[in-house]
Amino acid sequence: VLRGEQALISDKAIDLSDIGGLQQPKISLQKAVEWPLFYHDSMKRLGITQSKGVLLYGPPGCAKTSLVCAIASKLNITFLSISAAAIFSPYVGDAERTISQLFRRARLSAPSVLFIDEIDALVGNRGVGMHKVSESVLSTLLTEMDGVGVKLEKSIGVEESFQPKVVVVAATNRPNLLDPALVRPGRFDRLVYVGPPDRNERLDILQKLTKKIPLGPTVDLEELAAKTFLFSGADLSHLCKEAALLAMCEGGMLVDSVEQSHWLKALDSMEPSLSQEQIDSY
Ligand code: ATP
């Protein structure tokens, strides 16, 4: 049994059109996943060196996980997701075994995306005590990544044919904590920044998040977008829930719409989870 199996999610469908903003990351990530899986011959013909892995980085709650999941769903490929914290183990060899099992599972369900969230928890620079464990885990990870990327087709006389079936995507909120060995060329060398939403993106996210909420005539999403500086997408999602709950508290069980006053009250009780300092650090 795969340790941390409960953390492994597949078939969690999210539609790309439900993710607001992030136009550039959507395009970059889709290419980074789709091209090696489906257009590797063209890439090889043009001499494009294949990345072994894609690293998404950026502040928490800004849709890194949702993006990978939605792209896998759009491409109709398997999405396997695990948090690196669930793989980590203080017992020698344990984390390495889990990683190998994960890759095996990903190969068996190929074409697939193997998503490793919070990769810094697994192979971060976490001081002298952790160093040995990290090194062996890192080397297992890199060996497994080599294994999914290349397949020898000696039987049909072709030299070395590139046939990736699994794309590895990792995510971190703290890229500066990553072991530099991980982001060297030929490893996680395709970096995609998933940043905080600006005002227009917040409006787009709010419009998407409120698609299923009955909005009263007073609701002004533009005002909310302007007042939610430093809110992540996850914060905005939380805000929507809070506003709807307030509407229910105030209007009773039969209430059928959420008004601007509910949003503003919910907003008063919330702090953004992002900070300018944190954003500037990327
Ligand atoms: P973490 O770094 O904490 O793992 P993350 O960047 O992976 O976070 P997600 O887990 O994808 O972020 O997002 C959390 C939730 O926030 C999503 O389930 C979704 O409801 C909401 N959300 C975040 N960003 C967006 C967005 N751009 N559009 C719509 N919903 C969003």
Side-chain angles (χ1 to χ4, degrees):
V1 176
L2 183 63
R3 213 171 51 76
E5 179 110 40
Q6 68 278 22
L8 195 65
I9 317 156
S10 52
D11 299 333
K12 188 183 155 207
I14 299 178
D15 205 292
L16 207 50
S17 63
D18 288 334
I19 300 176
L22 299 173
Q23 284 317 316
Q24 200 48 51
K26 277 181 188 170
I27 295 169
S28 306
L29 184 63
Q30 182 166 338
K31 278 184 196 161
V33 173
E34 186 177 19
W35 286 12
L37 284 176
F38 300 110
Y39 307 115
H40 53 85
D41 285 346
S42 313
M43 292 180 82
K44 199 177 162 196
R45 196 166 49 243
L46 296 177
I48 301 171
T49 323
Q50 202 70 65
S51 285
K52 293 224 178 74
V54 186
L55 181 70
L56 300 183
Y57 69 101
C62 292
K64 294 184 289 302
T65 310
S66 309
L67 261 186
V68 192
C69 185
I71 284 168
S73 156
K74 182 173 178 201
L75 298 175
N76 205 17
I77 56 179
T78 310
F79 172 67
L80 296 171
S81 158
I82 195 156
S83 156
I87 303 175
F88 181 77
S89 163
Y91 301 106
V92 176
D94 218 13
E96 290 85 336
R97 229 179 345 263
T98 309
I99 291 173
S100 299
Q101 286 171 335
L102 259 178
F103 273 84
R104 182 163 181 274
R105 178 111 173 230
R107 283 193 299 271
L108 287 174
S109 45
S112 58
V113 173
L114 175 51
F115 178 62
I116 307 174
D117 202 4
E118 300 172 70
I119 186 113
D120 48 279
L122 196 62
V123 283
N125 279 327
R126 297 197 296 167
V128 183
M130 301 304 301
H131 201 65
K132 267 215 166 109
V133 176
S134 296
E135 213 146 81
S136 154
V137 168
L138 178 63
S139 116
T140 307
L141 185 62
L142 295 173
T143 309
E144 290 290 350
M145 284 168 70
D146 282 345
V148 291
V150 179
K151 187 177 173 192
L152 292 175
E153 287 203 346
K154 287 203 173 112
S155 54
I156 52 168
V158 183
E159 359 117 29
E160 197 175 272
S161 166
F162 195 66
Q163 290 211 328
K165 292 197 168 87
V166 179
V167 170
V168 186
V169 180
T172 181
N173 301 326
R174 299 177 297 175
N176 50 335
L177 285 190
L178 286 181
D179 192 317
L182 200 70
V183 283
R184 265 188 220 139
R187 296 180 175 176
F188 281 97
D189 55 3
R190 179 69 80 97
L191 304 184
V192 178
Y193 178 55
V194 182
D198 63 19
R199 183 174 165 164
N200 286 333
E201 290 180 306
R202 291 196 297 275
L203 177 60
D204 191 24
I205 295 172
L206 283 167
Q207 282 164 343
K208 291 182 193 300
L209 289 172
T210 54
K211 267 198 299 204
K212 290 186 182 149
I213 302 178
L215 300 179
T218 56
V219 172
D220 178 356
L221 294 181
E222 292 205 13
E223 182 192 7
L224 297 173
K227 288 189 164 161
T228 44
F229 179 58
L230 295 177
F231 274 56
S232 67
D235 293 339
L236 294 174
S237 166
H238 183 60
L239 176 67
C240 292
K241 279 189 202 126
E242 287 298 306
L245 281 172
L246 268 171
M248 227 170 112
C249 282
E250 287 183 8
M253 297 303 145
L254 294 178
V255 69
D256 58 5
S257 66
V258 185
E259 297 294 340
Q260 187 75 347
S261 59
H262 301 125
W263 295 93
L264 294 175
K265 217 181 253 180
L267 199 52
D268 272 347
S269 63
M270 267 185 80
E271 289 292 325
S273 65
L274 307 176
S275 72
Q276 194 58 52
E277 195 188 2
Q278 179 189 26
I279 293 166
D280 292 345
S281 72
Y282 289 104

